[in-house]
Amino acid sequence: MADAIVHVMRHGQVHNPDGLLYGRLEGFGLSDLGQEMAERMAEHWAAVELTHLRCSPLQRARETMAPTAARFPHLEVVTDERLIEAANAFEGKVFGSRNKALRDPRMIRHVLNPFRPSWGEPYAQIAARMRAAIADAAAAAGEGGQALVVSHQLPIWIARMDAEGRRFWHDPRRRECTLASVTSFSVSDGHVTDVSYDEPVADLLPTKHGRRFKVGT
């Protein structure tokens, strides 16, 4: 049996009418739909015996955690910088349907090495900080406990690939990490022994051309 389970939840939908790649920028909170996702997830977690709460410092993550934290007033929400979104050189830019930002001559140097990737924080660095944050959350949850962590799509996906021993280079469109989804890590002696994935509010996911829309950070 695992010592603890760390449920890593992605935040809800963000209010972003201009379509910016917002990354770590301040001032990006949840949309009305995102708030509904957070409230529904609070109902989901009410049936789970959570023993620890931990969250990225970014507004959208804190707002996603808030309704659940209100149901567990005896648990302090630990802010963990290691759970933050990945750094990205394209932060604050609009891509649009034709990926305009990628054709900016000033940005060419940032797309030369997709394996690192050259446009932002190295995948290996993301994996290391997420691995440490998950291990600390498991330790804080205690023997047989369950922790809830709120983070962002790319860090969660990299943490999963790291735990599963898979390569970090990937197609962003194929990440299995929708809005308000949960990637759960079973942790024993500080090491991940199993990973599972769930979409408790899949019915709320926005669609594009009849398919679930996964874009966002």
Side-chain angles (χ1 to χ4, degrees):
M1 180 178 294
D3 291 343
I5 299 175
V6 179
H7 304 287
V8 186
M9 178 169 66
R10 185 184 171 192
H11 60 79
Q13 187 191 61
V14 174
H15 179 65
N16 182 23
D18 296 325
L20 293 179
L21 179 66
Y22 39 81
R24 296 179 176 180
L25 294 176
E26 295 292 334
F28 284 88
L30 297 182
S31 65
D32 290 343
L33 177 58
Q35 291 286 357
E36 183 178 359
M37 291 176 172
E39 293 289 347
R40 281 272 300 275
M41 287 305 298
E43 296 175 9
H44 170 79
W45 295 118
V48 179
E49 294 185 7
L50 296 177
T51 56
H52 178 67
L53 303 177
R54 186 173 294 242
C55 188
S56 158
L58 295 178
Q59 180 180 343
R60 56 191 182 273
R62 291 185 282 108
E63 290 181 356
T64 300
M65 174 66 86
T68 298
R71 290 176 178 259
F72 294 85
H74 59 292
L75 298 179
E76 176 188 0
V77 179
V78 175
T79 300
D80 192 333
E81 293 284 346
R82 296 172 297 184
L83 299 171
I84 200 168
E85 178 59 281
N88 195 311
F90 289 92
E91 186 176 273
K93 295 186 178 296
V94 177
F95 278 74
S97 60
R98 301 182 62 188
N99 289 324
K100 178 181 177 181
L102 294 178
R103 301 196 305 275
D104 185 339
R106 295 168 298 179
M107 304 303 290
I108 290 177
R109 64 188 177 88
H110 293 298
V111 295
L112 297 178
N113 182 4
F115 295 97
R116 180 180 181 269
S118 51
W119 56 80
E121 184 179 6
Y123 291 138
Q125 183 173 311
I126 298 172
R129 63 177 170 86
M130 289 296 291
R131 189 186 313 129
I134 290 170
D136 285 354
E143 181 74 26
Q146 298 189 62
L148 173 62
V149 168
V150 180
S151 187
H152 308 267
Q153 188 190 65
L154 178 55
I156 296 171
W157 183 243
I158 291 296
R160 177 176 173 178
M161 291 198 293
D162 180 49
E164 294 176 343
R166 297 159 61 185
R167 69 178 188 181
F168 297 146
W169 159 243
H170 64 283
D171 181 347
R173 296 168 297 181
R174 299 181 66 83
R175 294 173 189 161
E176 189 178 37
C177 188
T178 59
L179 294 166
S181 62
V182 181
T183 304
S184 298
F185 298 82
S186 298
V187 181
S188 181
D189 295 326
H191 300 285
V192 175
T193 58
D194 189 45
V195 180
S196 62
Y197 176 77
D198 190 21
E199 296 177 0
V201 294
D203 60 301
L204 294 181
L205 292 175
T207 60
K208 185 176 183 180
H209 305 306
R211 300 181 64 185
R212 289 178 184 172
F213 189 42
K214 298 184 180 182
V215 174
T217 59

